[in-house]
Amino acid sequence: MAAAPVATAPPERDRKEPAGPSPALRHRLAERGIDKQLLLLLPAVVFIVGLFVYPFCYGLGLSFQPQNGGGPFADYVRFFSDPYQFSTIWKTLVLAIPAALLNVLASVPIAYRMRGRFRGKRLLMTVLVVPITLGTVLTAEGLLNFLGPSGWLNRALEAIGLVDEPLRLINNYWGVFFSLVITGFPFAFLLISSYLSGIDPTLEKAAATLGAGWWDRFRHITLPLLAPGLATTFCLTFVLAFSVFPSAILVGNPSGETRVISIAAYQAAYEQYDYPYASTIAMIMGVVELIVVGVVLLWRSRLYTGSTGGKG
């Protein structure tokens, strides 16, 4: 009777290695967050590259190709050597920084008070957030009707005898400033409210049991924890205000005190048809924003060194 053949293992060189990385390598990659789930970010990466990175790189390259020649930095020299153009940076900063500061400072006490439960909270929240849905054009139209020479405010002031002639509150700096505050406050308020909701209220209750008043609790507990949120909110509201364009034209003086840098870029592109020069102004605009944001974030890192990101 013939013996059954004994199965032998294939030679070492004939064995097939499993496809893909080894289990140890996959484990190390997973510890660093690199796995198949990372592919879910691919659509977002394509979107960002297509709509943000590529246009930025294209505009940056275009800014070094002056239409009239003179070297790659000719348009940058042209901008900074022209006082009329260079002044747009200061005019925009004078509008954006105070508006962002006011929006943040006004949001803190209101959001702090609205942490608790009280009757009419939802209605008040709706009233505070509604302006974010109006848009800059509708807000500017409302300012024209309310603050204009024949608007409701001036007619009321004249009717009660407080003024003899209408106050000039639009088509100047104040018209644009009011527009930035109205459109930016809801945005800042929602951000501050979200940061405050992340601070554990038991910290203040513990301080209250030790005899700390509301101001001491706010100054020593809530404010330090809220500092990162304040810095982030200021940065976002500042960028939003720095890119002001419609209100600077509709309720401002686009050829004078409210000729902001975005108007200068628009005029270069669509009135002078000098696209490299317009790209140069856009790049300068971005650098100025990054400088202000960088200074604020540096202040934040010095003021707050915790790792909670604003949460208790």
Side-chain angles (χ1 to χ4, degrees):
M1 186 174 181
V6 179
T8 59
E12 188 71 24
R13 63 176 180 272
D14 295 335
R15 293 181 181 178
K16 293 184 178 180
E17 296 292 337
S22 63
L25 178 59
R26 287 198 301 267
H27 182 69
R28 290 196 299 269
L29 293 176
E31 288 181 344
R32 292 170 173 79
I34 303 174
D35 51 20
K36 293 181 179 180
Q37 295 179 357
L38 196 63
L39 295 176
L40 296 174
L41 295 177
L42 186 60
V45 172
V46 173
F47 179 81
I48 293 175
V49 171
L51 293 184
F52 295 97
V53 177
Y54 172 74
F56 172 79
C57 294
Y58 178 80
L60 180 62
L62 192 62
S63 67
F64 295 120
Q65 304 172 24
Q67 191 173 11
N68 300 323
F73 297 98
D75 281 339
Y76 289 93
V77 175
R78 174 185 171 188
F79 178 86
F80 288 107
S81 61
D82 186 351
Y84 185 61
Q85 296 284 59
F86 181 69
S87 64
T88 58
I89 297 178
W90 172 249
K91 292 175 182 177
T92 312
L93 288 174
V94 169
L95 275 168
I97 292 179
L101 280 174
L102 180 60
N103 285 330
V104 173
L105 294 178
S107 300
V108 172
I110 299 175
Y112 183 77
R113 177 62 184 85
M114 292 190 65
R115 288 197 306 170
R117 296 182 179 180
F118 56 90
R119 192 171 184 179
K121 178 179 178 179
R122 293 184 179 179
L123 177 61
L124 181 58
M125 178 74 75
T126 303
V127 172
L128 292 173
V129 175
V130 159
I132 204 173
T133 65
L134 300 179
T136 54
V137 176
L138 189 57
T139 301
E141 184 179 354
L143 288 173
L144 290 172
N145 292 329
F146 184 74
L147 300 179
S150 58
W152 301 344
L153 179 62
N154 277 311
R155 283 187 293 177
L157 294 177
E158 290 178 352
I160 60 180
L162 290 180
V163 297
D164 297 328
E165 58 182 15
L167 297 176
R168 189 168 177 265
L169 299 174
I170 59 171
N171 300 123
N172 55 12
Y173 172 90
W174 293 110
V176 183
F177 181 79
F178 292 146
S179 176
L180 292 176
V181 171
I182 293 172
T183 56
F185 172 80
F187 185 69
F189 170 73
L190 291 175
L191 287 174
I192 296 295
S193 298
S194 65
Y195 277 102
L196 278 172
S197 65
I199 298 177
D200 192 349
T202 58
L203 296 174
E204 293 187 59
K205 293 179 180 179
T209 60
L210 297 176
W214 74 268
W215 171 246
D216 290 328
R217 296 196 303 269
F218 177 79
R219 185 162 59 97
H220 295 291
I221 297 176
T222 305
L223 188 58
L225 292 173
L226 189 60
L230 294 178
T232 303
T233 303
F234 174 83
C235 290
L236 294 177
T237 52
F238 166 76
V239 170
L240 183 66
F242 194 83
S243 59
V244 56
F245 181 79
S247 58
I249 295 177
L250 296 173
V251 292
N253 182 10
S255 61
E257 57 185 324
T258 65
R259 186 177 183 269
V260 293
I261 192 170
S262 59
I263 294 179
Y266 173 83
Q267 290 175 342
Y270 299 106
E271 293 182 8
Q272 304 170 13
Y273 298 101
D274 191 345
Y275 296 108
Y277 189 48
S279 298
T280 299
I281 298 175
M283 293 298 111
I284 294 172
M285 182 178 177
V287 170
V288 173
E289 290 177 329
L290 287 176
I291 291 174
V292 175
V293 170
V295 170
V296 174
L297 294 182
L298 179 63
W299 166 82
R300 167 193 165 177
S301 64
R302 291 182 179 274
L303 180 67
Y304 181 82
T305 58
S307 59
T308 58
K311 294 189 177 183

